[in-house]
Amino acid sequence: MSVVSGAVLLGALMVPSAVADDGPWNTADPSSSMAESKRCGARDVSSAAPDYSNFPDGVIFRVASDAQGHAFLNDSRNSGVWINLGVLANAPKCVIGTATSVTENNPGLLYITLLTQDGAQHQAVCTSDDTPFAPSTIVTACGAGFTLLPNTPVMR
């Protein structure tokens, strides 16, 4: 009986994390290779709220990473749409941390900083204006994509 109870308990403990990976932001192909489905070991989220003149109140930009190390951007004006930041040039792999900030101009600049498992920081600077970020506009809005921030003190 204790073996069966232990197996049921172990299964119950394992299910929530497996279910959490199956959200709409998970774009991994289940048939992909083991190297592509490698877990980076962290999920993170950050947000920034612009305080622009002549800009709608309540707009929030969110950046999140999943357990596979992919990073995504959400613009609250595009409710439910999470944009895979992997489409940007030089997008880092195995993201374990995110930071987001925005300037107070309209148009403004959205700074997205991603920390990778090896301790490197990568930053994209995107123009934010009256047009919500969307999969069709993100590449233009973020221009050069990500650049490596030199001399990051946490690099291994």
Side-chain angles (χ1 to χ4, degrees):
M1 183 67 164
S2 64
V3 171
V4 172
S5 298
V8 170
L9 178 60
L10 179 61
L13 292 174
M14 292 175 65
V15 170
S17 64
V19 171
D21 287 342
D22 290 332
W25 52 88
N26 186 355
T27 58
D29 178 357
S31 64
S32 64
S33 71
M34 287 298 287
E36 290 177 298
S37 64
K38 177 179 101 174
R39 293 174 110 26
C40 293
R43 295 179 197 174
D44 191 43
V45 66
S46 60
S47 62
D51 188 17
Y52 302 154
S53 301
N54 304 318
F55 202 73
D57 288 335
V59 173
I60 300 173
F61 303 125
R62 296 175 184 90
V63 177
S65 62
D66 66 12
Q68 287 76 34
H70 305 112
F72 303 89
L73 170 68
N74 169 256
D75 180 332
S76 64
R77 298 171 293 175
N78 241 345
S79 181
V81 175
W82 287 88
I83 305 161
N84 185 343
L85 293 174
V87 301
L88 297 178
N90 306 309
K93 305 279 189 231
C94 211
V95 173
I96 63 168
T98 65
T100 312
S101 64
V102 65
T103 61
E104 294 186 9
N105 299 319
N106 185 8
L109 298 175
L110 172 66
Y111 291 86
I112 302 170
T113 305
L114 303 177
L115 176 66
T116 57
Q117 191 173 42
D118 64 359
Q121 292 184 45
H122 304 261
Q123 185 176 68
V125 181
C126 308
T127 303
S128 62
D129 55 25
D130 295 331
T131 303
F133 289 110
S136 61
T137 63
I138 193 73
V139 173
T140 301
C142 297
F146 285 93
T147 58
L148 180 64
L149 295 177
N151 304 317
T152 303
V154 294
M155 289 183 71
R156 293 182 190 166

